[in-house]
Amino acid sequence: ALDPDPRPALYAGVALLMATHDVELAREWADDVLVLVDGRAVLAGPIDALTPAVMVQARLRRTWTRRRASVPSVQGVVS
């Protein structure tokens, strides 16, 4: 109840499939990633495996803007 990040409690056991080019958003939300280059997988594994070398290979750039993703609150209201 005092956890500052409610996602682990709210989304335990929930799977989410998301396609994005936003590396920071992926780092915020993903446990595992699949990185494709020209339709071929260059990485399938934990988000921590998304190294600068993989990002260069996949032509991904780090986004420097930081934004807060909307997360449903415990009451179910989107914040």
Side-chain angles (χ1 to χ4, degrees):
L2 298 177
D3 188 350
D5 184 356
R7 285 179 288 190
L10 287 174
Y11 299 111
V14 173
L16 171 70
L17 177 63
M18 174 182 10
T20 184
H21 292 131
D22 188 329
V23 174
E24 296 306 313
L25 182 64
R27 287 193 190 282
E28 276 188 50
W29 282 90
D31 296 321
D32 296 296
V33 293
L34 173 64
V35 178
L36 302 173
V37 175
D38 299 326
R40 296 178 190 210
V42 294
L43 171 66
I47 188 69
D48 293 337
L50 185 55
T51 63
V54 173
M55 290 177 60
V56 168
Q57 182 182 8
R59 299 183 294 273
L60 294 171
R61 282 176 273 173
R62 184 177 175 135
T63 52
W64 294 103
T65 57
R66 180 87 172 140
R67 66 176 176 273
R68 183 176 170 265
S70 296
V71 178
S73 71
V74 175
Q75 293 81 21
V77 177
V78 176
S79 58

